[in-house]
Amino acid sequence: MAMANSAEELVFNPPELVAKNAHCSSMEQYREMHKESIKDPEAFWSKIAKEFHFENNSVGKFFEYNFDITKGPIFIQWMKGSRTNICYNCLDRHVLAGKGDAIAFYWEGNDPADRNSVTYAELLSEVCQVANFLKSRGVAAGDRVAIYMPMIKELVVAMLAVARIGAVHNIVFGGYSADSLCDRIVDAGAEVLLCADGVWRGNKLVHLKEIADEAMKMCSSRGVEVRLNVVVRHMTRVTHPASLHDTSNGHPAKKTHFDHQVTWNSDVDVDWETATSSSSSECPVVWLDSEDPLFMLYTSGSTGKPKGVLHTVGGYMLYAATTFKYSFNYHPGDVYFCTADIGWITGHSYVTYGPLLNGATSVLFEGVPTYPHTGRFWEIIERYKVSKFYTAPTAIRTLMKYGDEPVKKFDVSSLRVLGTVGEPINPEAWLWYHRVVGGGNAAIVDTFWQTETGGHVITPLPGATPTKPGSACFPFFGISVCLLDEAGEEIEGEGEGYLVFRQPWPGMMRSVYNNHQRFQETYFQKFPGFYTTGDGARRDKDGYIWVTGRIDDMLNVSGHLLSTAQVESALVEVEQVAEAAAVARPHPVKGECLYCFVTLKQGEKFTEELVADMKNKVRSKIGPFAQPDYLQLAPGLPKTRSGKIMRRVLRKIAVGDRDFGDITTLADPTVVELLFENRPANA
Ligand code: ATP
Ligand code: MG
C-alpha cells in the first residue's frame, strides 16, 4: 500500500543521558538478546527467573504450548510445576533484603492538598492484615474477589492481599456503572467485594458505594450473592474541591472535609479500617503453581463486548517485571509516574506489579490531568522529580490543546523517559511530547500492547532504539512479530498486514475466563499457528513497525486500503484540529468513502475554509482518492473509559443507524446522542 509518511524519515537517536546507563544500550545488544529470546526462550527467561523467588527453587517444565488450532486445543504454559507468589516477590523479597524503608508510592490525591506516602514495609504489613481478614472470612486460593476502588493505596493493598492468599482478583474500574460492575461480578462468580465509599474526580463526585450496592442487588437477582463487602471510608479523609477556592490570597487551602453519607447493610458491609486493623500484620503466603490464575481483567470493549482476560502467576510476573525494567530503563533512584488507572491492564502491569517487582518508587495519582489546572501532571512531575512518565495519547492530545504554557510553568527537567500507550500516537502529538514535555532530551517510548499480552510487546528501548515519531519500533524480547496478508501469507520486508505473533511469551493470556472457546475463536481461528492481535501494522524499509489501528476499522476507499491512523494523523496536522476519528461509510461508487469527525482546539471555528483545508491535507498527505466525503464537527468523541476512540459507534452514526451495540464501557454516552443529532445535512 502506498503511504506518504514524512515521520518515517525522522529519526531521533537515544538521548545521551539515557544511553549512558541503559540496561540495553545499543541496537546490536538488542538484536542479540532478542534473537536468543526467540531461539531459546528457556535459556533467556530462566536467567531472569533466577532474580525472583520460586519456592521450590526450580524452573519447572519451562515452556509448552500449542498455537495451532488445527492440531488441538490452544494452551500455553510457562514454568509449570514451579511454585511462587507474586505478592512475596513484590514486597517480602525487598523487605527481607533490607529495603523496607524505601518508598513504594507517593500518593497524590485529587486535591493537591491531599498527599502521603507508603514504604515497602508498611505496604507489606497492611497487605498481611487484609489477607488475614479475608482468610478469616473464608476466602481461599482460587476464589474470585471483585475490587471496585479509586486510585488509593488500599487498591494496591487489596490486589496484593488477594494475590498473597492465592485468590484471583477481578478489578473493575471505579466509575463503571452498576450494570457493568454486576456483569463482571457475575461472570467471575465473585462472592466478595472490596470497594470504597466514593471518590472525587476533579469536581465530580462518584458515589462508589451506592453503585456497588445497586450492583449487588442486581447480582442477587442473577443468582450470585455477594456475601461480604469491605468498604474503605475514603471520603472522610479527603479535601472537598470547593475548598480550593480559598487559595486566591496565596494562603494554603482550607481543609473542608465532606460528610459523605452511605447506606450500610450490616449483613454484608464491613468497614475496612475496623475489620483489618485488628488482624495480625504477618501472614504466610500461599505458594501457587506458576500456571495458577492471578487475575482476570476485562478488555476495554472498543471492538465489541469486553473479554474477561485470564492471566497466570509465574509468566505474568516475569514479563511485567522485565518489560518495566527495559522499556523504561528503570534504575534505583528513579521516580516513576504512570497516569493509568489500576482498573486497566496498564495499571495492573505498570502501576502495581512491574514497579513493585523492581522495588521502584512510584507516584499513585487519584485525580485527573486538568484539575485544578491544566498543568497538574507537570506540577506532580516537578514535585516528585519524576524521571519516568507514562501516559496515553488521549491525555497528550487533550493537554496539547492548552498549548506549551502549562508545561513551561513547571520544572520538568528531571524527565528521562516518556512513555505512551493505548492508541496509535499521531506524529504531531509525539513531537509535542518530545519537544515540549521532554525538552528534546527524553526518550519517547511508544509501547504497543494489549490486555491480552500482559505487558509491552512492541516498544523502543530508551537507551538503544533510534525512534521514529508514531512508530512502536521493534518487538520486545520473546515476541516474534509477523505480518500476514488476508490469505495468511507472510509479508516479508516492507509491507502492511495483520499483526500476529508466532510463538508465546511468558506474559500472554491463557484463556478467556470461563470461555476457552471464545479465546480460541478470537485469537487463533483466523490464522492457525499464530496469535492474532486484531490490529494492523506496517513494516517500513528500515524494519520499524507502525501499528495502524484495528483491522475492524480499516477503510477501503475505491479499492485503496487505508488505516484510521493514517487519515487521522493527516487531519491532526491541520493547525486548528485537536483530535480526529475516521470511519468508513458505504458508497455506491467507491465501495466506501471517508466520514471524519474532528475536534478543534480551544477557540477555533469550524468554517468552510477549515473544511477545505482539512480535505486538502488528506489529499496531499495520502492521495486524492482519500479525500473525506463527510467532515463533522465533534465537540467530543465517544471514548471508552480507558480513553480509546470507539469507532464502531461512529460508523453507526455515519450511516444514521441507532443500533450502537454494547456501549456500556463508554465514558460519556451523551456524546453519542449529540453527534447523532448533529450529523451534517448532506449525510
Ligand atoms: P476490546 O478488545 O474489548 O475491543 P481494547 O482492544 O480497546 O478493547 P485494550 O486491551 O485495553 O482493549 O487495548 C488494546 C488495544 O489498544 C490494542 O489492540 C491496540 O488497538 C491499542 N493500542 C494500545 N497501545 C497502542 C500503541 N502504542 N499503538 C497503537 N495502538 C495501541
Ligand atoms: Mg482488544
Side-chain angles (χ1 to χ4, degrees):
M1 184 181 64
M3 166 131 177
N5 195 334
S6 46
E8 212 175 274
E9 305 304 328
L10 218 51
V11 180
F12 292 86
N13 283 322
E16 254 167 59
L17 273 175
V18 179
K20 216 168 54 184
N21 72 342
H23 294 298
C24 180
S25 57
S26 70
M27 283 306 280
E28 217 168 38
Q29 189 189 349
Y30 158 74
R31 283 194 205 98
E32 215 161 275
M33 289 175 74
H34 185 255
K35 197 160 134 202
E36 186 195 13
S37 73
I38 298 298
K39 290 234 163 89
D40 194 350
E42 175 157 357
F44 184 88
W45 292 104
S46 59
K47 268 179 269 173
I48 290 172
K50 290 204 173 69
E51 294 167 28
F52 295 89
H53 180 87
F54 285 88
E55 182 61 8
N56 49 356
N57 209 14
S58 90
V59 288
K61 236 186 152 49
F62 214 84
F63 164 54
E64 286 192 310
Y65 73 101
N66 174 39
F67 254 32
D68 188 344
I69 195 151
T70 63
K71 295 197 175 128
I74 303 296
F75 75 95
I76 302 111
Q77 291 178 343
W78 282 85
M79 303 173 67
K80 194 166 169 60
S82 296
R83 300 184 76 69
T84 189
N85 184 291
I86 199 167
C87 176
Y88 185 92
N89 278 287
C90 283
L91 302 178
D92 307 56
R93 199 164 50 97
H94 305 305
V95 173
L96 289 170
K99 297 177 193 154
D101 291 340
I103 303 276
F105 291 102
Y106 292 109
W107 180 73
E108 172 93 13
N110 180 64
D111 189 302
D114 296 335
R115 298 202 296 267
N116 54 50
S117 63
V118 59
T119 65
Y120 275 84
E122 287 163 351
L123 208 49
L124 175 58
S125 77
E126 287 186 44
V127 164
C128 287
Q129 288 183 313
V130 176
N132 279 325
F133 173 73
L134 291 177
K135 276 204 307 199
S136 78
R137 297 296 292 260
V139 180
D143 290 352
R144 278 79 55 218
V145 175
I147 303 178
Y148 184 66
M149 282 192 197
M151 288 289 279
I152 52 178
K153 174 191 68 182
E154 285 80 0
L155 172 51
V156 177
V157 170
M159 66 200 290
L160 291 171
V162 169
R164 190 170 189 86
I165 59 175
V168 179
H169 56 73
N170 178 11
I171 302 183
V172 182
F173 169 69
Y176 264 147
S177 66
D179 265 313
S180 298
L181 176 56
C182 164
D183 277 349
R184 286 157 177 73
I185 292 175
V186 169
D187 191 21
E191 291 179 1
V192 172
L193 175 66
L194 309 176
C195 84
D197 51 0
V199 64
W200 289 106
R201 288 213 176 86
N203 282 308
K204 196 170 159 245
L205 176 61
V206 188
H207 296 277
L208 296 170
K209 170 77 164 69
E210 220 168 78
I211 300 172
D213 285 345
E214 204 186 325
M216 286 190 287
K217 254 188 232 139
M218 292 175 175
C219 289
S220 178
S221 70
R222 289 172 60 182
V224 173
E225 292 298 339
V226 175
R227 60 179 173 85
L228 173 66
N229 180 16
V230 192
V231 187
V232 178
R233 298 289 204 143
H234 179 54
M235 296 307 289
T236 52
R237 60 189 187 187
V238 296
T239 306
H240 190 290
S243 57
L244 279 169
H245 300 159
D246 298 343
T247 55
S248 53
N249 56 5
H251 295 301
K254 187 166 62 152
K255 277 225 172 205
T256 40
H257 293 293
F258 181 57
D259 185 22
H260 184 247
Q261 300 294 332
V262 290
T263 46
W264 209 255
N265 169 6
S266 48
D267 291 341
V268 177
D269 298 332
V270 301
D271 176 79
W272 172 286
E273 193 59 37
T274 342
T276 64
S277 59
S278 52
S279 302
S280 158
S281 56
E282 277 173 36
C283 173
V285 304
V286 173
W287 300 112
L288 300 171
D289 191 283
S290 268
E291 279 302 325
D292 280 338
L294 172 63
F295 66 83
M296 50 191 297
L297 179 67
Y298 290 79
T299 57
S300 300
S302 308
T303 57
K305 190 175 182 296
K307 299 162 281 261
V309 166
L310 183 74
H311 282 285
T312 53
V313 180
Y316 173 84
M317 175 170 88
L318 294 188
Y319 203 68
T322 310
T323 46
F324 177 79
K325 173 175 165 183
Y326 282 92
S327 303
F328 300 117
N329 188 32
Y330 167 76
H331 286 278
D334 273 332
V335 178
Y336 164 83
F337 176 20
C338 168
T339 69
D341 194 282
I342 291 178
W344 318 125
I345 189 68
T346 304
H348 278 58
S349 300
Y350 302 113
V351 175
T352 302
Y353 289 119
L356 292 180
L357 286 165
N358 282 279
T361 296
S362 307
V363 177
L364 183 69
F365 178 42
E366 178 185 45
V368 296
T370 50
Y371 178 85
H373 55 80
T374 56
R376 187 72 194 277
F377 280 172
W378 326 126
E379 181 181 37
I380 294 173
I381 290 167
E382 176 182 275
R383 176 170 303 131
Y384 301 102
K385 298 194 171 47
V386 171
S387 49
K388 312 286 160 79
F389 178 64
Y390 195 25
T391 194
T394 180
I396 299 169
R397 290 189 299 251
T398 303
L399 296 173
M400 263 175 89
K401 278 196 244 181
Y402 305 103
D404 302 0
E405 275 323 296
V407 190
K408 298 254 157 79
K409 269 197 208 137
F410 299 96
D411 177 6
V412 296
S413 61
S414 53
L415 290 169
R416 293 288 173 269
V417 177
L418 299 172
T420 132
V421 59
E423 291 181 292
I425 179 165
N426 329 98
E428 222 27 48
W430 194 105
L431 290 167
W432 185 83
Y433 201 26
H434 181 261
R435 177 178 60 83
V436 180
V437 181
N441 298 315
I444 306 285
V445 288
D446 173 6
T447 61
F448 168 83
W449 61 298
Q450 311 176 295
T451 310
E452 294 87 336
T453 67
H456 306 147
V457 285
I458 306 182
T459 178
L461 301 183
T465 317
T467 49
K468 298 189 183 190
S471 169
C473 298
F474 301 108
F476 192 76
F477 307 131
I479 305 298
S480 174
V481 165
C482 195
L483 301 182
L484 300 180
D485 68 14
E486 191 59 49
E489 293 295 325
E490 185 168 351
I491 299 162
E492 310 261 7
E494 232 182 311
E496 180 165 348
Y498 289 86
L499 175 64
V500 304
F501 303 141
R502 203 192 306 264
Q503 66 190 49
W505 59 97
M508 81 173 291
M509 74 187 289
R510 301 298 194 259
S511 191
V512 168
Y513 189 76
N514 259 342
N515 198 345
H516 201 64
Q517 176 118 0
R518 189 170 180 207
F519 172 61
Q520 302 189 136
E521 282 166 6
T522 310
Y523 308 101
F524 294 94
Q525 193 102 300
K526 192 167 173 72
F527 301 116
F530 296 93
Y531 167 84
T532 302
T533 60
D535 290 294
R538 193 166 55 82
R539 191 190 289 113
D540 73 13
K541 60 180 193 319
D542 304 318
Y544 282 72
I545 304 289
W546 300 72
V547 177
T548 52
R550 323 275 176 163
I551 289 289
D552 294 359
D553 293 339
M554 289 294 284
L555 314 158
N556 190 342
V557 184
S558 310
H560 298 272
L561 263 190
L562 291 168
S563 67
T564 50
Q566 206 179 353
V567 178
E568 291 160 11
S569 292
L571 287 168
V572 174
E573 272 188 38
V574 175
E575 178 66 37
Q576 297 91 328
V577 178
E579 192 157 37
V583 297
R585 172 179 144 133
H587 186 279
V589 180
K590 306 185 203 178
E592 285 178 349
C593 67
L594 295 190
Y595 192 122
C596 304
F597 298 81
V598 289
T599 303
L600 301 183
K601 291 189 183 146
Q602 270 198 328
E604 300 293 350
K605 290 250 152 36
F606 195 70
T607 60
E608 269 176 41
E609 198 191 339
L610 177 59
V611 169
D613 282 353
M614 290 191 278
K615 288 187 175 173
N616 282 334
K617 187 55 120 184
V618 180
R619 283 177 72 95
S620 67
K621 292 253 34 159
I622 303 171
F625 65 89
Q627 173 171 306
D629 281 28
Y630 304 93
L631 278 162
Q632 180 175 344
L633 174 67
L637 292 168
K639 288 187 183 170
T640 63
R641 292 275 187 173
S642 53
K644 295 168 205 276
I645 301 170
M646 228 192 240
R647 293 182 189 77
R648 65 184 162 93
V649 170
L650 294 173
R651 269 199 297 278
K652 294 285 187 178
I653 295 174
V655 295
D657 179 359
R658 272 183 196 278
D659 186 10
F660 298 127
D662 186 327
I663 53 168
T664 52
T665 65
L666 269 186
D668 178 11
T670 61
V671 168
V672 178
E673 201 47 44
L674 193 73
L675 292 177
F676 199 94
E677 292 307 320
N678 291 300
R679 301 168 71 235
N682 65 341

